[in-house]
Amino acid sequence: MAFGVIAMLLSFSSCGDRRKVFGDAITERDSMPVMSTLGMSTLVSDSGVIRYRVNAEEWLMYDRKKPSYWAFEKGAHLEQFDSLMNIDASIKSDTAYYYDKEKLWKLIGHVDIKNLKGDHLTTELLYWNQNTQRIYSDKFVRIEQAGGELLTGYGFESDQQLNSPKIFNVAGEFYIDEESDASGSTVQADTVK
């Protein structure tokens, strides 16, 4: 009889419809970062030599995405070093993505670059290919060179030190002074916009 009472008590406690509700399982692993880091500062080396410092509020690493990438969606600040650990260039942007297999940076929103010579570049979108050591954009670019020259336009390409910038669709105002040619006549040039 004791066994019957125990069996009855157990059956009453299991009759209640108290199922635990679970959320759906995440089936696609590529939608989640393999690593999430807050308030990070890291040094990146190449062949045993420290080449870059990266500071970011948040770093997400997606290793299963095609292509895999690192996301700095709350902004990034990069510093590039020369062989003597002098800051060769400083780069800031609102958002950055680094495609690790291609060694390609995509910088988005208020991109600001300053180099050792004193050149200053601003744009809304910039790509930096570390393999080819080239930077480029198809958006509006403004380059203030150390000598006081101002270059603006749409579409741009240069080496990563900004030594040879090329702007493809030049925009802005350029003034040409009146000059005398060899015959002594005056040449008048109009303002180009």
Side-chain angles (χ1 to χ4, degrees), residues 9-171:
L9 287 175
L10 289 175
S11 67
F12 286 132
S13 64
S14 65
C15 288
D17 193 17
R18 292 186 221 155
R19 293 184 194 165
K20 292 186 178 180
V21 179
F22 295 101
D24 293 334
I26 298 174
T27 57
E28 295 198 28
R29 164 65 178 79
D30 67 345
S31 65
M32 294 178 50
V34 67
M35 182 189 76
S36 175
T37 304
L38 300 175
M40 63 80 68
S41 180
T42 188
L43 298 171
V44 180
S45 65
D46 183 14
S47 303
V49 178
I50 295 174
R51 298 295 298 153
Y52 308 100
R53 177 186 346 223
V54 181
N55 297 313
E57 188 176 324
E58 180 182 57
W59 176 17
L60 303 172
M61 188 182 291
Y62 294 91
D63 66 334
R64 301 267 175 109
K65 288 281 192 180
K66 300 289 184 230
S68 61
Y69 65 90
W70 303 351
F72 303 91
E73 295 179 342
K74 294 183 179 180
H77 179 230
L78 293 90
E79 293 174 331
Q80 181 181 14
F81 299 110
D82 64 11
S83 59
L84 300 174
M85 290 299 294
N86 296 316
I87 295 175
D88 200 25
S90 171
I91 304 168
K92 293 179 187 175
S93 68
D94 291 344
T95 302
Y97 297 98
Y98 177 65
Y99 298 92
D100 55 328
K101 304 289 189 254
E102 296 86 4
K103 292 191 174 184
L104 177 69
W105 285 91
K106 180 180 182 182
L107 307 166
I108 305 168
H110 298 101
V111 179
D112 189 303
I113 299 177
K114 294 178 184 169
N115 68 7
L116 190 61
K117 295 184 316 185
D119 297 336
H120 185 201
L121 177 142
T122 55
T123 186
E124 289 300 313
L125 173 67
L126 185 83
Y127 293 94
W128 172 23
N129 188 324
Q130 290 179 295
N131 286 327
T132 62
Q133 298 184 355
R134 307 291 293 168
I135 57 175
Y136 55 93
S137 178
D138 61 355
K139 300 295 184 188
F140 182 78
V141 175
R142 175 187 167 103
I143 302 173
E144 295 176 52
Q145 294 183 320
E149 296 86 15
L150 177 64
L151 306 171
T152 59
Y154 293 87
F156 150 83
E157 180 181 341
S158 178
D159 64 335
Q160 65 186 13
Q161 282 82 25
L162 285 174
N163 289 327
S164 59
K166 295 177 189 168
I167 295 183
F168 301 117
N169 296 310
V170 178

Side-chain angles (χ1 to χ4, degrees), residues 175-181 185-190:
Y175 298 98
I176 301 173
D177 294 333
E178 292 182 2
E179 299 178 7
S180 295
D181 63 10
S185 62
T186 303
V187 178
Q188 177 72 34
D190 294 330

